[in-house]
Amino acid sequence: MRRYFGRKLLIYGLTFFIAATIDWMIPRFMPGNPVQSLLSRSHVAPDAVPALIAYYNNLFGLDRPIWEQYLSFWGALLSGDLGRSVYLTGRPVTDVIMSAVPYTLALLVPAILLSWWAGNSFGAMAARRRWLDNAALPIGYILTATPYMWLAIVLAWILGFIFRLFPISGGYSYALEPTLTWTFVGSLFSHWFLPFASLFLVMFGGWAIGMRNMIIYELDADYSRYLEALGAPTRLVRKYAFRNAVLPQITGLALQLGVIVSGALVTEIVFSYPGIGKLTLAAIQNEDYFLLQGIFLFIIVGVLIANFLVDIAYVLVDPRTRVGMSGRSA
Amino acid sequence: MSLQVTNLRVYYRTLAGDVRALDGVTFGVADGEIMGLAGESGCGKSTLGNSLVRFDPRMRYIEGRVELEGLELPIWDNAAMNDFRFKEVSIVPQYAMSALNPTRKIGRMTAELVAARGIPPETIVPELERRLDLVGLSRDVLDRYPIELSGGMKQRMVMVLSTILNPSLLIADEITSALDVSTQKAVAEMLVSFRDHGFVKSMIVITHDVSILYQIADTITVMYAGKLAEKAPTESIISAPRHPYTRLLISSLPEVGVRYAERRLAGIAGSPPLLLDPPAGCRFRDRCPVASEQCLQEPPFVEIEAGHFAACWKVA
């Protein structure tokens, strides 16, 4: 057990190192210059430009040789400093990310977990009722196949524009200041609902189809047929089939949870929702090295942690992995 | 008679029409009898075995009666059959190696299965452990997952599990096919000891390997193209087969102590008819060396001497 997790941790450490290096490289090899675009936005007198460029290059450390930048990147990273955002004129990257994270988490965690739970339950149910299978499964396929942006826009149009049930943009009403009052919480909720519902619907269809297919496969497996030949009640056979069918779904869930911190880029853009996804877009558009680097780093760590948690979960639910790591052969 | 099957017909539903895999078979299995069921692939032997336990969704009951211990088995009714499965009629399936749920410890799965059949699991534990000792499995297999067992161990575990409720009839479907010869022999002897210990009253051992049957079976029934060709005590089938198909089948087996350097083993020329639309009359007609006009009529399956049945005009 310890050897298994030791090896896993080593692999995760190595992955982190390589990913962080690539993360540092990507913005620097992008075309364009962040300091130039910063200055071009802020109406500086033309003769002051060279001086300002030199000043900012020095401030952000961009005038130093590339290997020195790389070493200082690791030095700062290990002391928990992700640098300062160029585009938000000097706010620490950590602060910027942290202010966007709650929105992303509040949107994606419930959407992913609820759609996983509901989709799997529904898929398992569809696998045993023909009418449900025939009637509801096509809906699942349509939901999954629908281009997400289109679905989101349709939802916003029907529920937000025609029926005026929910606001269609922002994280809370622009007329409010963030305070801990019921009005503000209510505003948060009504702004949260549409992005949540659109994500939920799309993911729900995918989980339901996957689960339905897995259950049908498991019910045809030898162990199911043997139980039936021994007169086991349907309840027991289904229970076993469900438990085995859910294993690949757990892997799927892990992958989804891993990219959670990257936010739902499209959702957040369609609904102007102030999460990590929208921040990523802004960072790219403004060539903000440090912000982009920080966001990617955040995503890398998120994916690694989620994978590690799933490794542990798998050991708990699937005995075959346990046998594999203790080295006992079948 | 422990088991009496009368004129059983089971077809497979396919898009092209009904495949007559089991086309009117009548036979009996006595108390304590181990009946071997032999025949080539696709002759309907597994269909016969499955139809006594559980119909595959594609199988269609046409007609026939199955009586076990004087009670009629409702083989056409999947739900009603549940009362008999495991307790009265049980199976060691062809796929014994993958028959156990991979994500449950074997002991727990056994307990859950037995409990689901309305028997308190703790009441069978002493017997279960006794039988594990008998087949040479250590008791701690109950605390392991199927993946931790070898193929042979899984096979023995399935044999113990299938017979734990002392069924009247056990169907062993090709259980030696995937094993090497020494393990085959051990498994075959285990089947005999299960009968001798009274774990099962009688048994149908389905295989295409006649030599295994020679070691363990009391009687051998030979099937051909969905029908019974011959049923007789093992010695008679091996030394004095009457049906031309059985004769050719036996003569195509190698004999111990005989060298085959100078002559080739005889096979049976041709291949069995398609069961989608089988020819009228005797189905072996086209491959039979002694076929004649009379064989256009279907031969009845009759007792030609005490305990020896055959379906051929030439031996009646």
Side-chain angles (χ1 to χ4, degrees):
Chain A
M1 180 81 80
R2 187 181 297 168
R3 250 188 68 207
Y4 173 78
F5 281 113
R7 209 167 52 214
K8 283 274 177 200
L9 278 177
L10 184 75
I11 291 170
Y12 282 129
L14 210 64
T15 313
F16 176 75
F17 173 75
I18 294 170
T21 302
I22 294 173
D23 172 36
W24 172 85
M25 275 158 53
I26 289 175
R28 279 166 182 77
F29 292 123
M30 276 193 332
N33 183 328
V35 175
Q36 292 257 304
S37 61
L38 176 74
L39 291 179
S40 66
R41 274 202 308 273
S42 46
H43 311 290
V44 186
D47 46 327
V49 167
L52 274 175
I53 286 181
Y55 169 73
Y56 275 122
N57 273 341
N58 180 262
L59 181 69
F60 293 119
L62 298 176
D63 53 352
R64 285 185 288 162
I66 200 98
W67 59 268
E68 220 180 292
Q69 289 186 42
Y70 179 63
L71 287 185
S72 71
F73 159 74
W74 273 108
L77 181 62
L78 293 179
S79 60
D81 178 10
L82 294 178
R84 285 171 184 273
S85 162
V86 179
Y87 133 78
L88 291 167
T89 43
R91 266 182 77 195
V93 165
T94 333
D95 282 5
V96 178
I97 293 176
M98 281 307 160
S99 66
V101 162
Y103 289 100
T104 288
L105 289 186
L107 184 61
L108 283 170
V109 172
I112 291 177
L113 291 182
L114 282 177
S115 69
W116 189 81
W117 176 79
N120 281 328
S121 314
F122 183 81
M125 219 154 69
R128 66 171 165 245
R129 293 203 182 85
R130 189 163 286 274
W131 62 268
L132 202 60
D133 203 23
N134 290 341
L137 211 73
I139 300 177
Y141 277 109
I142 291 172
L143 281 180
T144 323
T146 312
Y148 172 75
M149 286 153 293
W150 185 79
L151 184 81
I153 291 167
V154 167
L155 265 186
W157 180 62
I158 296 176
L159 295 180
F161 188 72
I162 297 190
F163 292 105
R164 306 230 168 240
L165 291 175
F166 298 99
I168 54 174
S169 114
Y172 50 88
S173 167
Y174 296 120
L176 291 175
E177 280 287 311
T179 45
L180 203 64
T181 59
W182 286 116
T183 337
F184 182 71
V185 173
S187 167
L188 272 181
F189 177 79
S190 66
H191 282 81
W192 167 87
F193 184 81
L194 275 183
F196 164 79
S198 63
L199 280 172
F200 176 85
L201 279 179
V202 168
M203 292 192 280
F204 173 83
W207 292 126
I209 291 165
M211 191 60 181
R212 177 240 176 214
N213 293 346
M214 282 306 300
I215 287 268
I216 286 176
Y217 173 81
E218 292 291 340
L219 285 178
D220 201 37
D222 286 342
Y223 68 86
S224 300
R225 287 201 286 154
Y226 180 57
L227 283 174
E228 284 169 348
L230 295 186
T234 320
R235 198 168 25 83
L236 184 70
V237 181
R238 292 211 174 266
K239 188 173 134 192
Y240 283 3
F242 183 82
R243 190 179 148 115
N244 293 344
V246 92
L247 293 177
Q249 300 290 84
I250 292 179
T251 314
L253 176 67
L255 293 175
Q256 293 254 326
L257 284 177
V259 293
I260 212 171
V261 281
S262 70
L265 196 83
V266 181
T267 319
E268 292 178 6
I269 291 165
V270 169
F271 294 101
S272 297
Y273 203 72
I276 293 275
K278 200 162 158 253
L279 196 61
T280 313
L281 186 69
I284 294 172
Q285 282 170 338
N286 295 291
E287 290 172 49
D288 190 336
Y289 287 8
F290 301 99
L291 185 54
L292 199 56
Q293 204 171 275
I295 292 170
F296 283 165
L297 203 65
F298 206 74
I299 296 169
I300 291 166
V301 174
V303 171
L304 291 180
I305 290 177
N307 268 296
F308 190 65
L309 291 179
V310 166
D311 278 342
I312 295 174
Y314 238 84
V315 167
L316 295 181
V317 292
D318 190 347
R320 284 167 289 191
T321 46
R322 254 172 286 170
V323 176
M325 72 199 185
S326 66
R328 190 152 33 155
S329 61
Chain B
M1 264 316 152
S2 175
L3 174 77
Q4 181 63 50
V5 175
T6 315
N7 194 30
L8 182 60
R9 261 178 235 278
V10 175
Y11 294 173
Y12 282 96
R13 217 187 302 236
T14 69
L15 288 176
D18 283 340
V19 174
R20 304 175 172 200
L22 201 58
D23 212 0
V25 301
T26 301
F27 66 94
V29 181
D31 276 355
E33 178 180 338
I34 295 183
M35 180 185 111
L37 185 59
E40 52 200 300
S41 296
C43 72
K45 51 191 194 306
S46 284
T47 308
L48 174 56
N50 286 337
S51 56
L52 298 179
V53 183
R54 182 170 189 273
F55 273 54
D56 183 294
R58 297 159 302 152
M59 279 158 69
R60 200 154 65 88
Y61 171 83
I62 305 294
E63 61 171 333
R65 231 180 121 74
V66 178
E67 270 179 46
L68 185 64
E69 305 282 337
L71 274 178
E72 181 167 15
L73 293 183
I75 57 166
W76 58 87
D77 184 340
N78 190 19
M81 229 357 236
N82 257 355
D83 294 339
F84 294 92
R85 289 179 188 133
F86 203 14
K87 294 176 179 170
E88 289 301 321
V89 44
S90 191
I91 187 167
V92 179
Q94 225 164 355
Y95 48 82
M97 312 266 181
S98 53
L100 299 169
N101 182 1
T103 56
R104 273 277 193 279
K105 284 184 178 161
I106 291 168
R108 182 161 171 213
M109 186 210 136
T110 308
E112 284 177 342
L113 174 62
V114 170
R117 296 308 311 274
I119 297 156
E122 55 286 357
T123 58
I124 60 144
V125 169
E127 189 57 25
L128 186 60
E129 291 183 339
R130 204 166 73 79
R131 293 187 186 183
L132 287 177
D133 295 344
L134 185 76
V135 300
L137 283 175
S138 80
R139 293 177 181 188
D140 65 312
V141 292
L142 295 178
D143 206 31
R144 293 208 214 151
Y145 290 97
I147 192 178
E148 298 174 82
L149 271 58
S150 73
M153 289 164 83
K154 274 185 264 193
Q155 177 121 36
R156 277 178 276 163
M157 186 62 227
V158 169
M159 285 168 66
V160 169
L161 176 56
S162 287
T163 54
I164 192 69
L165 299 183
N166 296 343
S168 301
L169 176 70
L170 178 71
I171 291 158
D173 191 356
E174 297 280 13
I175 61 169
T176 56
S177 306
L179 304 172
D180 63 84
V181 278
S182 52
T183 322
Q184 273 185 8
K185 175 144 196 205
V187 166
E189 281 167 354
M190 230 171 268
L191 284 178
V192 176
S193 79
F194 274 31
R195 189 263 319 262
D196 295 345
H197 281 85
F199 300 165
V200 289
K201 208 171 266 175
S202 44
M203 226 181 265
I204 297 180
V205 179
I206 301 171
T207 180
H208 54 255
D209 185 358
V210 181
S211 49
I212 272 288
L213 294 181
Y214 184 55
Q215 295 171 28
I216 63 166
D218 302 313
T219 62
I220 294 180
T221 301
V222 178
M223 277 190 80
Y224 184 78
K227 288 177 180 292
L228 299 188
E230 189 165 7
K231 178 177 194 237
T234 303
E235 273 306 320
S236 313
I237 288 280
I238 302 293
S239 55
R242 304 288 297 273
H243 194 284
Y245 175 65
T246 318
R247 286 188 196 178
L248 287 169
L249 189 70
I250 300 296
S251 72
S252 62
L253 296 173
E255 265 174 76
V256 176
V258 178
R259 286 174 58 88
Y260 289 90
E262 54 283 356
R263 73 175 176 94
R264 282 174 65 90
L265 271 171
I268 307 178
S271 50
L274 289 178
L275 296 178
L276 194 57
D277 186 19
C282 176
R283 290 185 180 174
F284 189 56
R285 197 174 66 220
D286 293 340
R287 299 167 82 185
C288 182
V290 295
S292 67
E293 279 295 303
Q294 199 185 13
C295 301
L296 290 169
Q297 303 294 318
E298 188 175 327
F301 189 65
V302 289
E303 192 160 17
I304 47 177
E305 52 191 67
H308 197 145
F309 299 80
C312 181
W313 293 113
K314 304 294 170 187
V315 300

